[in-house]
């Protein structure tokens, strides 16, 4: 599993289930989620599973190095509908904006 950051406890828990964690290299000035776009060249990778909207923009960069890699993107909520249950200002409008961005990812 390739992660931007994880604790020693996370690594121990993963190892207990035969999961190897590889931490992304820190890139100063970038958010940790964006570090995931820099996969080590010698790392064999068949697919990437993205969850939510924030893991879509790394795809073009990953595909440059790992051209045969498949991308599976999982988005499982309706942000507009979910916005009705949030308790901050303009939650439905923010949900609509997020929904439009998620639909754009699926194209």
């Amino acid at each position: 599993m390739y992660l931007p950051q994880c604790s020693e406890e996370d690594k121990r828990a993963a190892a207990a289930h035969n999961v190897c964690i590889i931490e992304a290299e820190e890139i100063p000035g970038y958010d940790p989620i964006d570090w995931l776009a820099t996969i080590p060249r010698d790392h064999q990778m068949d697919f990437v599973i993205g969850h939510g909207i924030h893991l879509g923009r790394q795809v073009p960069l990953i595909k440059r190095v790992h051209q045969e890699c498949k991308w599976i993107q999982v988005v499982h909520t309706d942000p507009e509908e979910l916005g009705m249950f949030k308790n901050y200002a303009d939650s439905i409008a923010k949900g609509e904006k997020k929904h439009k961005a998620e639909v754009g990812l699926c194209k």
Side-chain angles (χ1 to χ4, degrees):
M1 178 173 273
Y2 189 56
L3 298 172
Q5 298 172 313
C6 65
S7 68
E8 289 303 316
E9 182 180 342
D10 293 334
K11 290 178 185 178
R12 283 191 299 274
H17 296 283
N18 295 322
V19 174
C20 176
I21 292 180
I22 301 170
E23 283 189 82
E25 181 179 336
E26 181 178 349
I27 304 172
Y30 287 84
D31 291 330
I33 195 76
D34 293 324
W35 302 349
L36 295 175
T38 58
I39 309 290
R41 286 192 179 269
D42 61 342
H43 180 65
Q44 178 63 36
M45 183 170 56
D46 298 317
F47 61 91
V48 173
I49 299 173
H51 180 263
I53 192 169
H54 299 289
L55 290 174
R57 65 181 171 258
Q58 294 85 352
V59 175
L61 299 172
I62 291 172
K63 296 288 269 178
R64 284 184 182 174
V65 177
H66 301 279
Q67 295 176 357
E68 299 300 317
C69 178
K70 303 297 181 202
W71 186 271
I72 301 164
Q73 188 71 29
V74 178
V75 180
H76 57 80
T77 59
D78 181 344
E80 287 180 79
E81 188 174 317
L82 196 57
M84 293 186 299
F85 302 102
K86 301 288 183 170
N87 60 0
Y88 52 82
D90 298 324
S91 60
I92 295 174
K94 288 178 184 178
E96 181 179 355
K97 182 178 177 183
K98 184 176 179 182
H99 174 73
K100 287 178 183 177
E102 288 174 352
V103 170
L105 263 181
C106 297
K107 291 182 179 177

